[in-house]
Amino acid sequence: MIEMQDVYKTYPNGVVALNGINVRIKQGEFVYVVGPSGAGKSTFIKMMYREEKPTSGNIMVNGVNLAKLKDSKVPLLRRHIGVVFQDFKLLPKLNVYENVAFALEVIEESPKVIRKKVMEVLDLVGLKHKIRSYPNELSGGEQQRVSIARSIVNSPKIVIADEPTGNLDPETSWGIVELFEKINDRGTTIVMATHNKEIVNATRRRVIAIENGKIVRDEAKGEYGYDASYV
Amino acid sequence: MTLHTFKRHVRESIKSLGRNGWMTFASASAVTVTLLLVGVFFAVMFNINHFAQKVENDVEIRVHIELTADSRQKDALRRRIEAIPNVKEVRYSSKDEELKRLIKSMGDEGSSFRLFEQDNPLSDVYVVKAAHPQDTVKIAKQIETLPFVHKVNYGQGTVEKLFDALKVARNVGLVLILGLLFTAMFLISNTIKITIFARRREIEIMRLVGATNGFIRWPFFLEGLWLGLLGALFPIAALSIVYYNVYEVYEQRVSLPFFELLPFSPFMWQLSGLLLAIGAGIGIWGSVMSVRKFLKV
Ligand SMILES: Nc1ncnc2c1ncn2[C@@H]1O[C@H](COP(=O)(O)OP(=O)(O)OP(=O)(O)O)[C@@H](O)[C@H]1O
Ligand SMILES: [Mg+2]
């Protein structure tokens, strides 16, 4: 579960990115975060995995207050949260298998467990046949699948994605969203910032709209609500 | 840390040397050039030091005792010399022993001094050694003022000049070596910084998936270690070969009596160990320093 209470964020350069956020996301929900460019969506998401600290307010994730979390405990938090980005963040010199295994090596899993779990998730994302390929030999959609596989290989309770379809064509984007729905069906919370109007309108999930650092709309089966796909 | 993890760090650090190909080459080369220079300096310095120590240890004060002194007065003089601070040892040498020494030191011509054996004109002598050779002059000056001292001999002038020259040589050598080491560290940390800059993505991803700072640091630490050791190999080989040949030629062809080179073994082993340690040290230092700023949360 994720809960924010009166969260404010002012960057060192004086930009107020979050201006009083109160929100509650239950375990197993699928949430889209929408809003114009520069509204604070990425900042909102960064709060959840402690990439940024709030200037004031509390953020509870899985029962831990991130506002008070010590720096040295951040790695432990990250092991329970999967993160996916627009630019995939794969290591170009590791192949598909190694890129996914990386997340388990880092937490010192045994090689046997690593093998089993990596093969499981690669099967889930449909890339079992490409385990020896390198990122530059894969399409954008395939790279994003690898990145998603890496984010869930730890079986986290929450997966956070910041514009995961931003670099992908519409058809490939659909494949990625379907994958997220599959992961959500297993009980994992999904929080996804997006500019993709078609997908938000078609899937009808909870939509949180942010403008100028404030939540201006929060609907259970919401719509994208902005005209162009890229605002 | 589990054994698997440690093996992973070792594996990763070695793979990374290969992946960063020419950067590895550049960093190791920086270590190589530095250690080559440092190694040559060390070889020269240690030999000078060895020579200096030998000379210093040979320096002694010969206190000639007045012929009129009786044995009680001689004893009193001995006690007063021994009471001077930093005097290490006082040895008595009778005038007969002194004559024998003289005859011996003259070699073939010495036999003409045999005539004096009947009526020895030399004086009895106290041979005094200072605890620290540098104190020789000071001690000699003090002994000169004591009663029943006829003459004090310690190679006046020469000793002072020698000590001054050795001091300068040592200090210059030390400054040069320190300067070189700093240049090397700067070079290496810069090269590794570039490597790490290229790898900040890797560090970023490690942190995203929950790696602790210690975990992230390990492969870099090991990589620095390998770089340093790798860079030390060539200087060690080159210096060993050169020193071996110089030593052989010097011993067989030149060989001056007052100057001897440190023998190849164990000196070259010690120098190699020292170079390996310095290489490892600057390698690790360079990589740990450059990875530090990427680990801020
Ligand atoms: N590290 C930072 N330092 C200073 N200002 C920042 C930083 N990150 C973001 N900002 C500013 O904070 C505001 C919110 O940025 P944020 O990235 O959260 O917007 P966003 O909603 O994700 O936009 P987009 O849809 O374009 O990704 C912007 O004005 C941005 O310029
Ligand atoms: Mg953003």
Side-chain angles (χ1 to χ4, degrees), chain A residues 49-50 71 74-75 78-79 83 85 87 89-91 93-94 98 102-103 105-108 111 150, chain B residues 1-2 4-5 8 11 15 19-20 201-202 204-213 215 297:
Chain A
Y49 61 99
R50 241 296 297 261
D71 284 355
V74 171
R78 301 262 171 96
R79 293 170 190 190
V83 202
F85 296 92
D87 60 354
K89 298 207 191 292
L90 299 177
L91 290 167
K93 285 170 184 164
L94 301 186
E98 290 165 339
F102 193 67
E105 284 175 359
V106 150
I107 62 171
E108 309 199 17
R150 184 183 64 198
Chain B
M1 185 170 30
T2 65
H4 288 307
T5 305
R8 177 199 177 269
R11 204 173 55 232
K15 267 196 211 156
R19 283 195 200 120
N20 297 301
R201 203 179 164 75
E202 185 178 343
E204 183 197 342
I205 294 171
M206 283 175 120
R207 300 191 39 190
L208 272 179
V209 296
T212 58
N213 283 351
F215 186 95
V297 175

Side-chain angles (χ1 to χ4, degrees), chain A residues 105 108-111 114, chain B residues 1-16 215 218-219 222-223 226:
Chain A
E105 284 175 359
E108 309 199 17
E109 263 307 354
S110 77
I114 292 180
Chain B
M1 185 170 30
T2 65
L3 186 64
H4 288 307
T5 305
F6 185 72
K7 277 195 202 148
R8 177 199 177 269
H9 289 324
V10 172
R11 204 173 55 232
E12 280 304 308
S13 64
I14 289 170
K15 267 196 211 156
S16 158
F215 186 95
W218 261 100
L222 290 174
E223 200 178 330
W226 307 143

Side-chain angles (χ1 to χ4, degrees), chain B residues 7 19 122 129 250:
Chain B
K7 277 195 202 148
R19 283 195 200 120
L122 299 176
K129 276 206 158 188
Y250 179 82

Side-chain angles (χ1 to χ4, degrees), chain A residues 19-229:
Chain A
N19 200 354
I21 297 275
N22 285 287
V23 76
R24 216 180 154 134
I25 297 170
K26 288 202 287 287
Q27 183 59 41
E29 274 194 271
F30 193 125
V31 182
Y32 288 117
V33 181
V34 302
S37 186
K41 300 183 297 296
S42 293
T43 308
F44 175 69
I45 274 183
K46 282 177 183 167
M47 292 287 147
M48 297 177 187
Y49 61 99
R50 241 296 297 261
E51 180 68 16
E52 296 287 350
K53 270 186 186 174
T55 311
S56 68
N58 290 320
I59 302 170
M60 305 298 292
V61 173
N62 295 339
V64 179
N65 189 349
L66 303 197
K68 299 207 174 105
L69 190 69
K70 282 202 218 113
D71 284 355
S72 59
K73 297 274 185 267
V74 171
L76 293 174
L77 167 79
R78 301 262 171 96
R79 293 170 190 190
H80 299 290
I81 300 176
V83 202
V84 177
F85 296 92
Q86 181 172 2
D87 60 354
F88 321 135
K89 298 207 191 292
L90 299 177
L91 290 167
K93 285 170 184 164
L94 301 186
N95 65 31
V96 168
Y97 179 89
E98 290 165 339
N99 260 293
V100 178
F102 193 67
L104 292 175
E105 284 175 359
V106 150
I107 62 171
E108 309 199 17
E109 263 307 354
S110 77
K112 234 174 88 186
V113 175
I114 292 180
R115 231 196 121 63
K116 189 171 151 281
K117 288 192 175 176
V118 172
M119 293 317 283
E120 258 171 39
V121 287
L122 285 178
D123 194 26
L124 181 77
V125 302
L127 279 177
K128 223 173 168 178
H129 57 296
K130 296 230 165 162
I131 56 171
R132 300 281 162 231
S133 304
Y134 287 86
N136 65 358
E137 300 163 354
L138 300 175
S139 72
E142 286 169 335
Q143 289 185 56
Q144 193 60 294
R145 283 169 187 275
V146 178
S147 160
I148 292 170
R150 184 183 64 198
S151 77
I152 59 170
V153 73
N154 275 334
S155 325
K157 286 212 176 84
I158 303 168
V159 171
I160 295 167
D162 195 351
E163 298 188 41
T165 60
N167 278 345
L168 305 174
D169 60 61
E171 201 177 323
T172 316
S173 298
W174 268 111
I176 296 298
V177 170
E178 275 159 14
L179 184 53
F180 276 123
E181 300 213 299
K182 206 154 109 187
I183 295 165
N184 179 241
D185 286 342
R186 310 194 311 174
T188 309
T189 309
I190 309 276
V191 180
M192 176 170 152
T194 187
H195 285 288
N196 197 318
K197 183 179 177 178
E198 291 72 30
I199 285 174
V200 175
N201 287 346
T203 47
R204 290 291 164 149
R205 299 289 193 159
R206 179 175 174 188
V207 173
I208 295 175
I210 296 180
E211 284 175 33
N212 295 319
K214 282 197 162 102
I215 296 182
V216 293
R217 182 160 55 95
D218 186 348
E219 295 168 340
K221 288 187 175 173
E223 288 197 34
Y224 183 69
Y226 300 93
D227 274 346
S229 201

